[in-house]
Amino acid sequence: AQSVSQHNHHVILSEAASLELGCNYSYGGTVNLFWYVQYPGQHLQLLLKYFSGDPLVKGIKGFEAEFIKSKFSFNLRKPSVQWSDTAEYFCAVNSPRYGGATNKLIFGTGTLLAVQP
Amino acid sequence: ETGVTQSPTHLIKTRGQQVTLRCSSQSGHNTVSWYQQALGQGPQFIFQYYREEENGRGNFPPRFSGLQFPNYSSELNVNALELDDSALYLCASSLSPEHNEQFFGPGTRLTVL
């Protein structure tokens, strides 16, 4: 079955520390990749997405992610986190091959990031 | 531009009851997907509606059903509620089933006692 794995369930960092959250997926073929963020009490928001082209994508709020096809990975990075980055982060994938007629997303289990001031 | 809205925000039901959740899609979006997010889990795809018909379904039993209306808004109905149905139910809309980006609503928190 298709799946998305996020290796870190809870991450605690101090402000200004660097962040890398891992994401691996189990699909072959063409995939579209996403990172969503859910701030406390707010709805899921798109951080960044990769459809094709440059495998290093930049998103909002200084986040970036690198698609490494050979490793089936799409890790999220930020050079220096802020207290306001405290949130839950979800990696998601969709695939024309596995979605059928839909653009359904397959999500990882999420990583809860706590940034200490 | 109005985003995706959902109602109600919170709901408490007892086992065996039925519930209806509502979603209004973002302006210009004709496709609505529903997801269930259990505590500590990522959202799981329930089904998608397009042109007022179910366009695809995840691994959920038939007691989960839906509707889409001509204005593209949608309802999720769950019959014979079970304790494990307690979750955050998310609605997402997109320009079409082929359009890869989905926009999520704030969700409805359902608690089944």
Side-chain angles (χ1 to χ4, degrees):
Chain A
Q2 308 88 44
S3 65
V4 177
S5 299
Q6 291 184 241
H7 316 297
N8 317 98
H9 297 292
H10 289 92
V11 173
I12 302 174
L13 295 173
S14 299
E15 275 193 316
S18 64
L19 170 72
E20 181 160 2
L21 301 182
C23 173
N24 286 89
Y25 59 94
S26 66
Y27 299 78
T30 303
V31 291
N32 302 303
L33 299 155
F34 306 82
W35 276 97
Y36 282 87
V37 61
Q38 194 168 32
Y39 297 104
Q42 297 189 27
H43 60 275
L44 274 173
Q45 300 173 40
L46 183 66
L47 261 184
L48 47 77
K49 60 193 177 191
Y50 172 79
F51 294 162
S52 64
D54 188 345
L56 184 63
V57 293
K58 295 192 184 298
I60 60 172
K61 305 186 181 185
F63 285 91
E64 65 179 31
E66 185 175 12
F67 170 53
I68 303 180
K69 188 174 182 179
S70 61
K71 294 185 177 180
F72 297 89
S73 71
F74 190 56
N75 292 354
L76 181 71
R77 299 196 292 248
K78 186 171 183 179
S80 175
V81 294
Q82 301 173 323
W83 177 79
S84 58
D85 293 324
T86 295
E88 191 158 19
Y89 293 81
F90 293 94
C91 181
V93 174
N94 72 13
S95 166
R97 178 177 176 184
Y98 295 106
T102 77
N103 56 3
K104 70 176 184 181
L105 290 164
I106 306 296
F107 283 86
T109 53
T111 297
L112 204 54
L113 171 65
V115 179
Q116 297 175 330
Chain B
E1 185 179 84
T2 307
V4 179
T5 60
Q6 293 186 243
S7 63
T9 307
H10 295 87
L11 205 50
I12 299 175
K13 292 286 189 178
T14 56
R15 199 168 44 182
Q17 285 189 311
Q18 178 266 342
V19 70
T20 297
L21 311 181
R22 294 177 176 83
C23 169
S24 291
S25 61
Q26 185 163 313
S27 177
H29 289 191
N30 62 21
T31 302
V32 172
S33 300
W34 287 91
Y35 293 81
Q36 180 196 66
Q37 187 178 6
L39 201 60
Q41 301 295 318
Q44 290 196 30
F45 176 75
I46 302 174
F47 43 54
Q48 182 177 88
Y49 275 81
Y50 171 60
R51 292 184 174 177
E52 302 178 49
E53 292 190 359
E54 187 179 289
N55 187 50
R57 190 178 184 91
N59 189 26
F60 281 81
R63 59 190 185 83
F64 285 77
S65 63
L67 286 172
Q68 187 180 33
F69 300 99
N71 66 354
Y72 308 131
S73 66
S74 177
E75 287 182 354
L76 164 65
N77 299 290
V78 187
N79 293 321
L81 283 166
E82 301 177 0
L83 298 179
D84 285 348
D85 296 332
S86 295
L88 181 67
Y89 288 85
L90 298 169
C91 170
S93 73
S94 56
L95 285 169
S96 73
E98 294 81 27
H99 199 83
N100 289 309
E101 191 166 344
Q102 297 183 39
F103 295 82
F104 284 82
T108 294
R109 174 73 62 187
L110 173 65
T111 301
V112 182
L113 302 176

